[in-house]
Amino acid sequence: MDEKVVTHIHSESYLEQYETKRLDHQSLVFRTNRPVESLNGRWYFSVDPYDTGLRANWPKDSLSPYWEKGTPWDYGWDEGELVPVPSCWNTVDPKYHYYEGSAWYARRVHYQPQQPGERVFLRVGAANYDTKIFLNGAYLGYHQGGSTPFCLELTAYLQEDNLLQLCVNNERFIERLPGRNTDWFNYGGLYRDVELIRLPSSFIQQLAIYLVPDGKFSSIKVEVELNQAGQAGADEMVYLEVPELDISVKSLVTGGRGEFTVQCQPELWRPENPKLYQCFVTYREDTIEDRVGFRQIETRGTELLLNGEPIFLRGICVHEDDGELGKTTTEARIRRMFSDAQELGCNFVRLAHYPHSELAAEIADEVGILLWEELPVYWTIDFTNTETYRDAENQLLELIKRDVNRSSVIIWSIGNENADTDDRLQFMRQLLHAAKKQDPTRMVAAACIVEGDRLAHDLDLIGINEYYGWYNPDFSGLTQLLKNWQPGKPVIVSETGADALAGYHGPATEMFTEEYMARVYQRQIAITREVDYIAGFSPWILYDFRAPRRQNRFQQGYNRKGLIADDKRTRKLAFRVLQAYYRQRQAADRLPLAD
Ligand code: GCB
């Protein structure tokens, strides 16, 4: 047999060659509002459950046409079927519904330089879970993490006609984030936008613009990181313009990184008045335009303060899950989700359990919804594994860099319902410090399952997931728990709820009826509203969502705790219960405080 064939079928260390050239938060290029060339559209697609493509180097083999191949071939880049990108393979065709493994995406990319010295970056909005990138047969890099964006510079490798191939793998492994076991569907594929970004030779790599959180509301800060091509470290001028605030200033940046502060009196961003300012930051030929809101979020004792005023978070949790598109989403769907949340009376949404599309925070900025954004450190993951930690910290930094200018985002959540072990505590503390170091302006939280979780001491704000009335039928436990707890900081009920099949009615004592669910909401509200350290309520969940571990007669592959069914239209009885509570709270919050 041909030597090449024998080698690859016998080797189990084939992945090693692809573990170099890792793409991480440092290779991320600031993207908001930059002109891009979309690579969305139809791509050739082939599943590869045995990883033959990585073992036998299919991309290299793809370079010669089939009539020139001297030996039999197992793959042709344009011999698979055409699928849309972005999409999840699970929803593209029923035959891929439960597929977990590797799959290849391929397409031609035509390239014509437009400016002398231009640099070109490939950006993938997200691909679940790991992606290996090949251009013209050559392996160029890989990324881990299923919900954050990544960039790869292609400048040195682009020709006029190119073959781009991406191998995406969504297998569940204990060392990944999340690990093997979750309560949502493991969608796979290139499920967010794929695009090319053309930039001048020197450009702005990262940018943060925010209100200085000193309680004075009278200055904004700009932080920039420059990519300086050949002149790394040179002194450079960076310009900021905010026309509506009459700001037009410049500042000298040395060593590629810099920050400067400008005095001003912006109108503050808040849900009732989501004021955004058009900001322009320029460095040489590169100008970034971003719409930024200015607000301050902090805690004082057990209170949560927005712009110095106490605020109660009237919230709801959401997954990124759609019957037709899976984890892929659209602007219209996100707008509809926020409008359903606002109809419910919400000023806050918990984007569970992983980073959602970046469009969500952009739209939340505009419509005035506060956000909790979360890392998929969910249930059991390998807290002892340093590679898992590295992956978690990288996802955190990618998320922060992506959404740093979104005033709607007030909380970085570093995890959900992890058992309180020593290894986990150490892992989470490290993650928390990384979040604080990267972004000292926001709060760090986690959704805990017990009030005695040791991590609670380190968090700015404690999320508590409690299912009294559902997994834990006896409500007296909730009353006890809340009475005996002195958290000393704000607590959010980050989850509570009950399943009900929309349209299934019966006595309020019968599980899975709408009446049972409504009753759980009534009792939850009655108990938690009396507790002064509870600064927010965000039940589980706005819409029913796919969950393969739920297979009883009512569930049929869905978690039915949605206040709205999976058709995203049918409201269950509990929707009105929560809506009535939020309306009362909103009215009460508008009343002036007595002297
Ligand atoms: C939880 C989890 C969430 C589940 C939910 C449930 O505590 O955080 O991911 O979907 O409970 O429905 O059991």
Side-chain angles (χ1 to χ4, degrees), residues 189-326:
L190 286 176
Y191 71 93
R192 289 191 191 142
D193 295 337
V194 182
E195 53 206 18
L196 290 183
I197 311 180
R198 291 180 198 241
L199 292 168
S201 60
S202 296
F203 61 89
I204 302 167
Q205 180 104 26
Q206 284 304 329
L207 171 66
I209 310 174
Y210 57 89
L211 186 74
V212 175
D214 59 2
K216 297 186 182 143
F217 315 120
S218 61
S219 54
I220 59 178
K221 195 169 199 173
V222 176
E223 290 176 20
V224 283
E225 191 189 318
L226 307 177
N227 187 312
Q228 298 178 286
Q231 323 89 35
D235 290 358
E236 297 280 358
M237 209 55 96
V238 171
Y239 299 79
L240 168 73
E241 280 187 72
V242 189
E244 236 190 295
L245 291 171
D246 283 331
I247 295 175
S248 178
V249 293
K250 60 182 181 185
S251 175
L252 194 68
V253 166
T254 48
R257 274 170 199 270
E259 54 177 60
F260 55 95
T261 304
V262 186
Q263 298 301 314
C264 59
Q265 298 288 334
E267 206 179 306
L268 300 180
W269 185 100
R270 58 200 167 91
E272 303 75 27
N273 179 32
K275 172 71 190 157
L276 299 176
Y277 288 92
Q278 210 83 21
C279 302
F280 300 87
V281 177
T282 303
Y283 157 56
R284 294 188 175 214
E285 289 101 81
D286 189 22
T287 295
I288 288 177
E289 177 190 340
D290 205 352
R291 290 165 72 216
V292 183
F294 299 110
R295 55 100 190 94
Q296 183 172 332
I297 190 79
E298 68 200 301
T299 64
R300 181 179 61 200
T302 56
E303 283 182 322
L304 189 60
L305 306 181
L306 179 67
N307 302 328
E309 304 274 330
I311 183 168
F312 182 83
L313 301 177
R314 305 184 305 273
I316 191 70
C317 297
V318 287
H319 256 299
E320 205 169 42
D321 186 82
D322 182 87
E324 191 192 335
L325 297 181

Side-chain angles (χ1 to χ4, degrees), residues 183-184 319 350 353 378-379 416-417 465 467 471 495 499 540 545 549-550 559 561:
D183 191 28
W184 70 88
H319 256 299
R350 174 180 175 210
H353 283 302
Y378 182 90
W379 289 355
N416 182 78
E417 294 187 354
N465 292 359
Y467 281 89
Y471 297 120
E495 278 181 41
D499 285 70
W540 192 252
F545 61 95
R549 63 194 283 278
R550 312 264 178 193
N559 183 312
K561 294 191 187 70

Side-chain angles (χ1 to χ4, degrees), residues 51-68:
D51 262 355
T52 310
L54 294 175
R55 292 169 189 272
N57 203 341
W58 278 351
K60 201 157 164 224
D61 245 23
S62 305
L63 297 180
S64 55
Y66 73 87
W67 58 87
E68 283 177 13

